[in-house]
Amino acid sequence: TADGSDFSKETGIAKDWSMSPDGKVWTIQIRHGIQFHRSFGELTAEDVKFSLDRLSSERSVAQEKAYFKTKIEKIEVVDPDSCKGIWKTPSPDFLTIVSPLRGSTERFIVSKKAAESLGDEFSRKPVGSGLFEFVGQIGGQSMEFKAVANHWRVGAPRFATLKFLAIPEEETSIAMLLRGDV
């Protein structure tokens, strides 16, 4: 919905939000205490600004780069726990547009500190703030993650590890399921 009432204020990084009467300015309150993996610190409004600016930057290869460039005027940091999204035209669907739950993972909020200090390595060893921390990958074959022991949202996740396998042939994936390999 336009006011964001269909989004939970309990489970995301935004704990509250409001839209200006003209629909051009959204103020977002960031949940305090969310930590990035690998000791990259607390998630702040600077990380939100960095992540959204990154989508429309010249270096961006994001699928929605052009869309964001035409819609977003700028993202402003108000203080460490809040920011404003200022749109070129009224945008009553701001939360839907920037939410990774309703679209691309390109919209995830990333650590500015990690991205800047790791440089190009950041794309191969991403740093997030979710339930599972990136462990490693074998290009085109698999990605592995480990549970965050005491995540702010759920405590300990149900599974200790997650492994995603790229299995291009349907017959192989079915055989692996039947054997109990996956």
Side-chain angles (χ1 to χ4, degrees):
T1 61
D3 65 357
S5 61
D6 57 336
F7 283 87
S8 171
K9 293 184 179 185
E10 305 300 319
T11 59
I13 67 161
K15 68 178 183 179
D16 202 8
W17 50 83
S18 62
M19 179 180 68
S20 65
D22 68 0
K24 287 186 175 183
V25 180
W26 280 80
T27 303
I28 308 294
Q29 300 297 315
I30 308 299
R31 188 172 313 284
H32 186 70
I34 297 175
Q35 296 294 313
F36 282 110
H37 305 149
R38 295 176 31 207
S39 301
F40 275 101
E42 186 171 345
L43 188 152
T44 70
E46 279 292 335
D47 298 301
V48 174
K49 175 181 175 25
F50 174 79
S51 299
L52 295 176
D53 286 348
R54 186 173 175 245
L55 281 172
S56 58
S57 72
E58 292 307 313
R59 284 193 67 198
S60 174
V61 294
Q63 174 182 335
E64 298 173 330
K65 173 182 176 176
Y67 178 78
F68 276 85
K69 282 181 83 115
T70 60
K71 296 288 184 183
I72 298 176
E73 172 107 8
K74 63 182 170 177
I75 305 295
E76 289 181 351
V77 171
V78 176
D79 59 49
D81 295 328
S82 61
C83 61
K84 289 185 178 186
I86 302 167
W87 293 80
K88 294 178 182 178
T89 58
S91 181
D93 58 347
F94 172 74
L95 294 175
T96 301
I97 291 168
V98 298
S99 173
L101 300 175
R102 305 280 168 95
S104 167
T105 57
E106 295 169 332
R107 301 175 191 179
F108 284 151
I109 303 303
V110 300
S111 166
K112 177 181 178 183
K113 180 180 174 183
E116 289 176 344
S117 66
L118 296 173
D120 290 339
E121 184 182 349
F122 183 76
S123 63
R124 293 183 301 279
K125 295 182 181 177
V127 175
S129 63
L131 297 170
F132 292 89
E133 179 180 341
F134 179 82
V135 173
Q137 66 180 331
I138 300 172
Q141 295 179 27
S142 65
M143 292 176 65
E144 190 168 346
F145 300 84
K146 69 178 179 180
V148 173
N150 191 19
H151 193 266
W152 67 272
R153 190 169 7 129
V154 299
R158 183 175 169 197
F159 300 102
T161 61
L162 290 177
K163 189 169 187 177
F164 294 93
L165 300 174
I167 305 169
E169 293 87 23
E170 184 177 0
E171 296 83 14
T172 303
S173 61
I174 292 170
M176 291 176 78
L177 279 169
L178 293 172
R179 284 194 314 264
D181 293 342
V182 294

